[in-house]
Amino acid sequence: MRGPEADLTLLSDTLREAGKLALRYWRHKPKFYDKPGDAGPVSEADLAVNDLLLAKLRAARPEYGWLSEETADTPERLARDNCFIIDPIDGTRSFIQGEDTFAIAAGICHRGRMTAGAVYLPALERLYTAHAEGPARMNGQTITASERSAPDGATMLTATPNLAASHWPGGLPDVRRAFRPSLAYRLCLVAEGRHDSMVSFRPTWEWDIAAASLIVERAGGRATAGNGAALIFNTPGARIPSGVLAAGAALHPRLLALHLPS
C-alpha cells in the first residue's frame, strides 16, 4: 500500500541515481543557455536530470501529476490529488561554475500540502528527507531546527536585498547574514539547525521550496510564505508571490512580526 513513507523511499532512491548523472556533467564544462525573460540559465545537466526523474518517477506513480522547472507546464496536474514537484538542479549558476552546493529537489504534495520531500546535494553527499508522518533526516540521522528565539544575533541565509529596511517596518533585525545559491539547500540548513533562519521576499517558484519546506516543518521549524500564510502547492501559477520565510519555531513569529508589524 502506498503512502508517504513509500513515496519518500521512491524519491530518495531516484535522487541518488539522478545525482550520479548530474556529477557526470559537473566540472566538465556543461553546455548551457539563458532562458528568455531573464529567467536564468539552464544547462544540459538540468535537462538530463529532469528526463531521468520524469521517466523513473512517473513510471512508478503514473497517476500523480507533474510540475517541474524544466518541463513545459500543463493544467492537467491541477486535477490530480497527488503531484510531483521537481527542481532538477537548484542552483544552476553555481553548478555551471563548478561550485558544490547545487541541489536536486523532489517532493510530493497531496491536495496542496506536502507529504514527502527529498533534497540531495550529490557533490557533498548530503540527502535531506522527510515525510508527513516522520522526522526530518540528513543521511538517515534525525535533524532538528534551531531553538533560538531572539532575532538579534541570529544567522539568516538570504540575499542582501532582503535586508533592506523597507522589508522590516517593525525594525531591521541585527542578523548575521550568510548565503547559499540554492533555496532548497538554505531551507535544509535551517531544518538542520546549522542556521537559524532563511528568507526570500521575491516571488518564489514552488519547485524551489516545496520539498525542503516539509523538511523544515518535520524538523520542528516553521516554513511559511513571506506574508506568514500557509504554503499551498500545485497551484495554477506555481508561484508564491510573497516569497518564503523559514526559521525555528520560536524565532519565526518574531521575524514575521518585524516584517509585518500589527
Side-chain angles (χ1 to χ4, degrees):
M1 182 177 179
R2 292 177 183 172
E5 187 171 4
D7 279 347
L8 182 58
T9 298
L10 170 66
L11 294 178
S12 300
D13 291 347
T14 308
L15 259 60
R16 287 194 181 278
E17 185 175 351
K20 294 176 182 178
L21 175 59
L23 290 177
R24 295 178 198 165
Y25 295 90
W26 183 56
R27 294 183 174 173
H28 288 85
K29 299 181 179 179
K31 298 175 183 177
F32 68 93
Y33 62 89
D34 289 321
K35 296 179 183 179
D38 197 29
V42 60
S43 76
E44 58 182 329
D46 292 79
L47 302 177
V49 169
N50 187 67
D51 288 346
L52 184 153
L53 295 173
L54 179 61
K56 296 285 186 177
L57 297 176
R58 291 302 298 274
R61 304 286 191 271
E63 72 277 18
Y64 286 14
W66 182 263
L67 172 64
S68 169
E69 180 176 9
E70 307 304 345
T71 303
D73 194 19
T74 68
E76 180 271 343
R77 63 181 171 82
L78 301 174
R80 305 294 183 101
D81 282 346
N82 298 292
C83 185
F84 290 108
I85 304 180
I86 306 294
D87 194 342
I89 294 183
D90 186 30
T92 298
R93 284 190 180 88
S94 63
F95 175 86
I96 293 168
Q97 293 167 2
E99 298 172 13
D100 59 10
T101 55
F102 67 93
I104 304 171
I108 295 171
C109 74
H110 176 74
R111 298 180 181 176
R113 303 290 187 178
M114 298 307 299
T115 56
V119 175
Y120 186 41
L121 286 84
L124 298 177
E125 296 186 355
R126 294 179 189 168
L127 177 65
Y128 296 87
T129 58
H131 65 77
E133 299 170 0
R137 294 188 169 97
M138 194 277 282
N139 290 350
Q141 300 299 310
T142 299
I143 55 177
T144 306
S146 167
E147 296 181 356
R148 183 186 185 92
S149 61
D152 287 347
T155 55
M156 178 179 285
L157 289 157
T158 191
T160 301
N162 295 307
L163 292 178
S166 59
H167 288 304
W168 305 94
L172 180 65
D174 184 18
V175 296
R176 292 179 291 138
R177 190 186 78 86
F179 186 73
R180 300 291 187 281
S182 163
L183 276 171
Y185 187 34
R186 291 181 225 171
L187 283 158
C188 288
L189 288 171
V190 172
E192 198 177 356
R194 289 174 61 189
H195 289 272
D196 300 309
S197 61
M198 66 80 64
V199 66
S200 177
F201 292 128
R202 296 180 60 184
T204 302
W205 292 108
E206 291 183 14
W207 49 70
D208 286 326
I209 66 168
S213 68
L214 177 65
I215 295 169
V216 171
E217 294 282 346
R218 298 308 301 175
R222 288 199 63 199
T224 66
N227 63 5
L231 292 168
I232 304 296
F233 295 98
N234 195 26
T235 63
R239 216 168 192 188
I240 297 92
S242 62
V244 60
L245 170 62
L251 180 59
H252 186 282
R254 298 193 64 181
L255 289 174
L256 189 62
L258 295 176
H259 177 53
L260 298 172
S262 56

